[in-house]
Amino acid sequence: MTLLITNATLLPCTPEMPVIENGFVQIEGETITATGAGPAPAIDGAETIDVAGDIVMPGMVNPHCHMAMTLFRGLGEDVDDRLYRYVLPLERKFVTPEMVRAGTRLAALELIAGGVTTVADMYYFETEVGRVIDEAGMRGVVGQTIADFDPPDHATIDAGFALTEDLVAEFAGHPRVIASIAPHAPYSTDIAVMNRIARWADDHPGVPVQIHLAEMDSEMDWCAKNHGLRPVEVVEKAGLLRKGLICAHCLHVSESDIEKMARAEVRVAHNARSNAKAGRGIAPVEAMRTAGLPVGIATDGPMSGNTLDLFSQFAPVTMFQKLLGHSRKPMPGVEVIRMATVEGARVLGLDDRIGSLEPGKQADLIRIDMSAPRLQPVYDPYATLVFSAMPDDVRDVMVAGSWLMRDRTVLTLERKQVLRDALQVAARFKAEMTRIDATV
Amino acid sequence: MTLLITNATLLPCTPEMPVIENGFVQIEGETITATGAGPAPAIDGAETIDVAGDIVMPGMVNPHCHMAMTLFRGLGEDVDDRLYRYVLPLERKFVTPEMVRAGTRLAALELIAGGVTTVADMYYFETEVGRVIDEAGMRGVVGQTIADFDPPDHATIDAGFALTEDLVAEFAGHPRVIASIAPHAPYSTDIAVMNRIARWADDHPGVPVQIHLAEMDSEMDWCAKNHGLRPVEVVEKAGLLRKGLICAHCLHVSESDIEKMARAEVRVAHNARSNAKAGRGIAPVEAMRTAGLPVGIATDGPMSGNTLDLFSQFAPVTMFQKLLGHSRKPMPGVEVIRMATVEGARVLGLDDRIGSLEPGKQADLIRIDMSAPRLQPVYDPYATLVFSAMPDDVRDVMVAGSWLMRDRTVLTLERKQVLRDALQVAARFKAEMTRIDATV
């Protein structure tokens, strides 16, 4: 079966980042077979969708997320010690496979609605996350967290590895879900454990490794005090600073750290809103990209960043670099969209399959409705996407040739049921918070 | 005729900033006559609207805008010299009353759709702006620009004053449109002219004065070179630093400037996105508010900030202060919403009439649909509004007891016609830009 999408403002996100007016995309099954300008080829029996000038671009890539934490969105937002007062006690008490499923489904609804087709996740009971991504029809890299702080799903490191082995077994050969292992951070996963993960990863070459890295002042202090090193150096010492490591945050990276990271060929997931909301600072994205590091645009978990779409990140991503550079010039719109698509795919090691609209790649694409008055006029679609568009402008979403959303209705998840399940958990959280407030 | 809005999550924006569950608002004609918790009073013949738990809050106030510049939205975004290459030549050639009308109508559509009910504007042919605000049913403070740089609508300062007199005459006694005079900035309105405006304002006590102030490095340099003073001091020397002066930007204000501003009782319109997009820096909002200055949240013109709703400003406003303070604590969500409503009204000197939902105030209010998955769950409506809500969540908008929007359809402007007129102007801009590019 051939599908032709025609009359698009086509942003294929190929290296030159062209804007193709009256563009078309030809799809056979799950694969793109042709793209171009002008009228689409005439193909017998093909289904044709005329998108009337709307933007068609690759589905976006969110390379760092904690999907299940939708259930914590806005919880204790202005409470100074919310992590120790609410979040950790709630996680200890309530994080179960069922809770992870409920929160991840709510996240999947939001991600699809906002045009994100591929997400990298790190949380607990990660097999559940993979299952939800599978049922939602999305693409995902699902990372089982390994940490020392007695996390909700593994009392020992051995138990963490066992969960990871289950995850790897469940998704072996899956076309869209990739199992991953996720040492939490240099301060929360012992250096010996990180080294064990490095050796495990040697034996599992198809399993990406994700880590939180160089995110906080307290992490800098911890690494200095315990190892006399910077966070990047601790990870290096553990043998983990290696090709393909997906590093989230990377705020506190010096020139020499960036050199090490580039030499090691790691990748970076930039979480602009989450970092700024915590007052942590601005990651040196321009410097990292100049050094050749691929940098994707990520949302972090919704407790930290509150939204899971990338549109909410675009203006912060570029504004922060302009503020750092004290100039209007850094990080033009076209680079932001490159990061949200093909560069994000490179961060996850998936750029051979997704991230741009090219023959041979998977048909992961989105259609953006340009009719809202707040988007008009359009002089440059990249500027419009970065500074004016919002997740609600996404109209249709396709992954691997299958529609996940048409006319703003997500087809793969039962919206009402998903909301009902999520709000049930939130009600339990609220009751527990009331109990905590009464006790403390 | 009595209208009862019931079953609201009511945010009246009174000094304590309460959240009233199951709240009601009672409206007679254009005035709020009661608000409270629990079932609304039974009133014979009253129309009742059950909002099913949606947020009801004051219409928002955007205290600094150049509405007609919607037509320049995203134009030459990444072109370094876009101001001199495109914008000024286009303004000189195309700014007419018709162009101002077309651009301002597009802006009004966007403002209403995003829950802004009151806007302060500064541009040319400002009488046209006032007329559009009137026909749209909004509330506005419309400022005729006075500048030295031979602007499109006045070749001489005398001509600028004549336009202002016409504006004042046209809107004398208007219930929703307030004429204003707007010296452009310390570097673009001669100190003698600013002094003349100060004396004119003495004779027109009901006419607010608006100015761009302490926005740019180049302005600092200009003021130092020409007057040996800082921008705030130049305005003070001109006799304009006075009670009620609406100062847009105020990035480059020292402690001593802030003291002077507070003593003079000026007001501040903060333009977070616009300032950051230009790489100019972060205004010291916390310091200004601590000094007692009211600070409103503004969008600036859509050429600078690209959006006209306040939701797009909320995250930047609070993130920037958190970055400045290197902490999660500054500018909690509730303060952001205070600034967007009652404090914005105070900036425009309208807080006796609007900005909060209280008996005796004008019925300017909005209803926010909380059903989108990306808003759920809601632990704190202020956090949800600041970090998750978007303009498309605004469902209904009322000014002075009249609906401007119901079920996301703006009732006071013809959307299709407005878009058609705006795109016609944009097409002329594009043709001229092609000509410029071919010539230069």
Side-chain angles (χ1 to χ4, degrees):
Chain A
M1 177 65 187
T2 302
L3 175 67
L4 286 167
I5 296 172
T6 65
N7 197 13
T9 299
L10 186 64
L11 308 181
C13 298
T14 45
E16 303 296 320
M17 295 295 283
V19 176
I20 301 174
E21 300 297 344
N22 190 22
F24 72 88
V25 182
Q26 181 181 334
I27 298 160
E28 319 272 345
E30 62 186 38
T31 310
I32 297 167
T33 49
T35 66
I43 294 170
D44 273 354
E47 182 193 354
T48 298
I49 299 175
D50 181 327
V51 298
D54 282 352
I55 286 177
V56 172
M57 61 181 278
M60 291 190 279
V61 179
N62 181 349
H64 183 67
C65 192
H66 313 291
M67 291 170 75
M69 295 191 84
T70 45
L71 300 170
F72 294 87
R73 190 200 315 267
L75 183 154
E77 194 69 70
D78 297 320
V79 178
D80 222 24
D81 59 343
R82 70 169 178 164
L83 185 67
Y84 292 97
R85 186 186 180 92
Y86 298 129
V87 180
L88 294 180
L90 287 168
E91 284 199 329
R92 181 138 338 266
K93 192 157 181 172
F94 293 111
V95 172
T96 60
E98 293 68 34
M99 174 272 186
V100 168
R101 203 152 52 227
T104 304
R105 280 199 180 120
L106 182 58
L109 260 187
E110 183 183 353
L111 286 162
I112 295 170
V116 174
T117 51
T118 299
V119 59
D121 192 81
M122 272 176 81
Y123 203 58
Y124 310 114
F125 299 112
E126 197 68 21
T127 298
E128 294 299 330
V129 177
R131 289 175 184 164
V132 170
I133 287 175
D134 179 35
E135 76 177 6
M138 300 181 67
R139 214 177 282 280
V141 175
V142 292
Q144 173 63 45
T145 299
I146 308 274
D148 293 332
F149 50 70
D150 189 19
D153 66 347
H154 60 286
T156 65
I157 297 298
D158 283 346
F161 272 94
L163 285 169
T164 311
E165 296 282 1
D166 290 348
L167 179 72
V168 169
E170 175 138 352
F171 295 105
H174 194 287
R176 290 179 286 100
V177 180
I178 296 166
S180 159
I181 188 165
H184 184 267
Y187 60 88
S188 50
T189 309
D190 190 81
I191 193 161
V193 177
M194 283 196 282
N195 183 255
R196 181 174 163 190
I197 291 169
R199 284 179 286 118
W200 185 93
D202 287 338
D203 296 333
H204 297 79
V207 179
V209 185
Q210 306 178 55
I211 192 167
H212 294 115
L213 184 60
E215 179 183 5
M216 298 182 281
D217 289 337
S218 62
E219 177 184 354
M220 300 291 289
D221 296 344
W222 191 96
C223 290
K225 191 177 154 206
N226 288 275
H227 297 288
L229 296 171
R230 300 171 58 82
V232 168
E233 295 167 330
V234 174
V235 174
E236 186 183 37
K237 189 173 170 187
L240 255 188
L241 202 75
R242 53 169 60 198
K243 184 166 180 171
L245 180 71
I246 301 162
C247 307
H249 303 300
C250 304
L251 255 76
H252 298 296
V253 287
S254 64
E255 266 183 56
S256 121
D257 289 337
I258 293 174
E259 268 172 45
K260 280 184 212 292
M261 292 162 70
R263 242 190 338 260
E265 295 185 55
V266 307
R267 291 103 185 235
V268 176
H270 172 46
N271 300 267
R273 261 174 71 117
S274 154
N275 297 155
K277 264 195 68 196
R280 292 198 174 124
I282 297 174
V285 172
E286 287 247 306
M288 290 191 285
R289 293 183 83 223
T290 301
L293 287 163
V295 181
I297 298 175
T299 60
D300 205 353
M303 194 189 77
S304 309
N306 300 60
T307 59
L308 294 178
D309 70 283
L310 297 196
F311 294 100
S312 300
Q313 303 288 335
F314 289 164
V317 164
T318 176
M319 288 192 301
F320 291 168
Q321 297 306 306
K322 291 174 197 299
L323 284 170
L324 271 192
H326 204 63
S327 155
R328 191 186 283 281
K329 283 165 69 180
M331 192 68 63
V334 64
E335 290 306 304
V336 175
I337 300 304
R338 191 196 301 275
M339 290 166 71
T341 55
V342 68
E343 194 162 326
R346 211 174 132 211
V347 169
L348 301 184
L350 297 173
D351 50 319
D352 57 331
R353 269 182 275 174
I354 59 162
S356 59
L357 304 182
E358 292 178 88
K361 282 205 176 177
Q362 290 278 293
D364 289 15
L365 57 80
I366 61 178
R367 171 183 179 178
I368 299 177
D369 174 357
M370 302 296 282
S371 68
R374 60 182 162 67
L375 299 177
Q376 294 293 330
V378 177
Y379 294 99
D380 165 8
Y382 292 113
T384 305
L385 286 174
V386 170
F387 289 116
S388 305
M390 300 193 186
D392 296 353
D393 297 318
V394 178
R395 178 173 163 166
D396 300 318
V397 175
M398 173 183 278
V399 169
S402 294
W403 292 112
L404 310 191
M405 183 168 83
R406 291 303 296 272
D407 287 335
R408 295 186 173 79
T409 300
V410 174
L411 306 172
T412 50
L413 293 157
E414 285 291 340
R415 177 186 158 123
K416 277 189 186 169
Q417 187 60 48
V418 169
L419 274 167
R420 202 174 308 139
D421 292 346
L423 295 186
Q424 241 170 39
V425 180
R428 268 178 263 151
F429 284 9
K430 285 177 192 175
E432 180 68 9
M433 288 168 74
T434 305
R435 202 191 63 74
I436 290 170
D437 288 341
T439 313
V440 179
Chain B
M1 179 64 188
T2 301
L3 175 68
L4 286 167
I5 295 171
T6 66
N7 197 13
T9 300
L10 186 64
L11 307 181
C13 298
T14 45
E16 305 296 321
M17 297 293 285
V19 176
I20 302 175
E21 300 296 345
N22 190 19
F24 71 88
V25 183
Q26 181 180 335
I27 298 160
E28 318 272 345
E30 63 186 39
T31 309
I32 297 166
T33 50
T35 68
I43 294 168
D44 273 353
E47 181 192 354
T48 299
I49 299 174
D50 181 327
V51 298
D54 282 352
I55 286 178
V56 172
M57 61 180 278
M60 291 190 278
V61 179
N62 181 350
H64 182 68
C65 194
H66 314 290
M67 292 169 75
M69 295 192 85
T70 45
L71 299 171
F72 294 87
R73 190 202 314 269
L75 184 153
E77 195 67 73
D78 297 321
V79 179
D80 222 23
D81 59 343
R82 69 170 178 164
L83 185 67
Y84 292 96
R85 184 184 181 93
Y86 298 130
V87 180
L88 294 180
L90 287 168
E91 284 199 328
R92 181 135 340 266
K93 190 156 182 174
F94 293 111
V95 172
T96 60
E98 293 69 34
M99 174 271 186
V100 168
R101 204 151 53 227
T104 305
R105 281 198 180 121
L106 181 59
L109 259 188
E110 183 182 352
L111 287 162
I112 294 170
V116 174
T117 51
T118 299
V119 59
D121 192 82
M122 274 176 80
Y123 203 57
Y124 309 114
F125 300 112
E126 196 69 21
T127 298
E128 294 299 331
V129 177
R131 287 174 185 164
V132 170
I133 287 174
D134 179 35
E135 74 176 9
M138 300 179 68
R139 215 176 281 279
V141 175
V142 292
Q144 173 63 44
T145 299
I146 308 274
D148 293 333
F149 50 70
D150 189 18
D153 67 346
H154 60 287
T156 66
I157 297 298
D158 283 348
F161 272 94
L163 284 169
T164 312
E165 296 283 359
D166 291 348
L167 179 74
V168 168
E170 174 138 349
F171 295 105
H174 194 289
R176 290 179 287 101
V177 181
I178 296 164
S180 159
I181 188 166
H184 184 267
Y187 60 88
S188 50
T189 310
D190 191 78
I191 194 161
V193 177
M194 282 197 282
N195 182 257
R196 182 174 163 190
I197 290 169
R199 286 179 284 117
W200 184 92
D202 287 338
D203 297 334
H204 297 80
V207 179
V209 185
Q210 305 178 55
I211 192 168
H212 295 115
L213 184 60
E215 181 185 5
M216 297 181 282
D217 288 338
S218 61
E219 175 184 357
M220 300 291 289
D221 296 343
W222 190 96
C223 290
K225 190 177 156 206
N226 287 275
H227 298 289
L229 296 171
R230 300 172 59 81
V232 169
E233 295 168 330
V234 174
V235 173
E236 185 183 37
K237 190 173 172 189
L240 254 187
L241 201 76
R242 52 169 60 198
K243 184 168 178 169
L245 180 70
I246 301 161
C247 306
H249 302 299
C250 304
L251 253 76
H252 298 295
V253 288
S254 64
E255 266 183 56
S256 122
D257 288 337
I258 293 175
E259 269 174 41
K260 279 184 209 295
M261 291 162 70
R263 243 189 340 260
E265 296 184 55
V266 306
R267 290 103 184 235
V268 176
H270 172 46
N271 301 265
R273 259 173 72 115
S274 153
N275 297 154
K277 263 194 67 194
R280 292 197 173 124
I282 297 174
V285 171
E286 288 248 305
M288 291 191 284
R289 294 182 82 223
T290 301
L293 286 164
V295 181
I297 297 174
T299 60
D300 204 354
M303 194 187 78
S304 309
N306 301 58
T307 60
L308 294 178
D309 70 284
L310 297 196
F311 293 100
S312 301
Q313 302 289 333
F314 289 165
V317 164
T318 175
M319 287 191 301
F320 291 169
Q321 297 305 305
K322 291 175 198 299
L323 284 172
L324 271 191
H326 204 62
S327 155
R328 191 186 283 281
K329 283 165 70 179
M331 191 68 66
V334 63
E335 291 306 305
V336 175
I337 300 304
R338 191 196 301 275
M339 290 167 71
T341 55
V342 68
E343 194 161 324
R346 211 175 134 212
V347 169
L348 301 184
L350 297 173
D351 50 318
D352 58 332
R353 270 181 274 175
I354 60 161
S356 59
L357 304 182
E358 292 178 87
K361 283 206 175 176
Q362 291 278 294
D364 290 15
L365 57 79
I366 62 179
R367 171 183 179 179
I368 298 175
D369 174 356
M370 302 296 282
S371 68
R374 61 181 162 67
L375 300 176
Q376 294 295 332
V378 178
Y379 293 99
D380 166 7
Y382 292 113
T384 305
L385 286 173
V386 169
F387 289 116
S388 306
M390 301 195 186
D392 296 352
D393 297 317
V394 178
R395 178 173 164 166
D396 300 319
V397 174
M398 173 183 278
V399 168
S402 294
W403 293 111
L404 310 192
M405 184 168 83
R406 290 305 295 275
D407 287 335
R408 295 186 173 79
T409 300
V410 174
L411 306 172
T412 51
L413 292 157
E414 286 290 340
R415 176 186 159 125
K416 276 189 187 169
Q417 186 62 48
V418 168
L419 274 168
R420 204 174 307 139
D421 292 346
L423 295 187
Q424 241 170 39
V425 180
R428 268 178 263 150
F429 284 10
K430 284 177 192 176
E432 180 68 9
M433 288 168 74
T434 304
R435 204 191 62 74
I436 290 170
D437 287 341
T439 313
V440 178

